[in-house]
Amino acid sequence: MLDDLALVATDTEDEDVDDEFDDADEFPDPGLLPHAWAGSAMSDFSPGFRGRRDPDVDPSRVPPGQYVTGDFPVLSAGPTPSVGLDEWMFTVDGSVSDRKQWSWAEFSALPVEDVEVDIHCVTRWSKLDTRWRGVSVDTLLAEVETTADFAVAHSYGGYTTNLPLEDLIDGQAWIATTFDDQPLTSEHGGPARLLVPHLYFWKSAKWVRGLSLTDDDTPGFWENFGYHNYGDPWLEQRYHGD
């Protein structure tokens, strides 16, 4: 459900990229995964990523333990959902004054922002200067009254991840629909994905369909399988206890 820690398919185009199992004993046992996501799909999952350090990259831009790649590795937890634009909906609900919902046509009419950010995967790759376009979460919440402190992102396919609400506002998060000036492909979470670049990329849920605002913190899929509840790459918050 994320290009970060999501199970299925390591798909790279760069021959210099070397995916290896790295601290594999710290990753979830496939037998503990929900039935729909277990089985043969797990055989393609490579939780560790090991690339080459680029001497031309400013080291202050690369969190500890990360390697820069020019590629965009694809890792997904289960089959890639096929979501038609005529059926896609985005919803904000939970502890809110009024439930909000947008069809694809309505969502596409909202103001968009161009965003250039570095992204960091918990499997240790970082990709710098990535270019996205999407709707700011601030825009989606502009008319939402809430006392909630947390949010849960929900994806087509059943994936969830939790975030403090304060990490989704004030220009920190978007619902992205394009990457490198092209519509977001399904393997990278299209037609729309959450983009929260200051956290490990598993928090940027693919195939996103909504945000539920909550009064209590509710761990999502990977958080329930031993990953850090917050996921700050600069603090190497990969696992519970980090």
Side-chain angles (χ1 to χ4, degrees), residues 135-150:
V135 176
S136 172
V137 173
D138 292 315
T139 298
L140 299 174
L141 300 183
E143 298 181 4
V144 173
E145 295 183 12
T146 183
T147 59
D149 292 321
F150 303 97

Side-chain angles (χ1 to χ4, degrees), residues 92-98 141 143-150 165 169 212-215:
V92 174
D93 61 12
S95 298
V96 297
S97 54
D98 293 295
L141 300 183
E143 298 181 4
V144 173
E145 295 183 12
T146 183
T147 59
D149 292 321
F150 303 97
L165 186 57
I169 60 176
S212 291
L213 307 191
T214 63
D215 299 316

Side-chain angles (χ1 to χ4, degrees), residues 215-235:
D215 299 316
D216 300 313
D217 198 7
T218 306
F221 177 79
W222 282 113
E223 295 80 13
N224 275 310
F225 281 105
Y227 284 86
H228 200 278
N229 200 52
Y230 184 63
D232 185 337
W234 295 97
L235 298 178

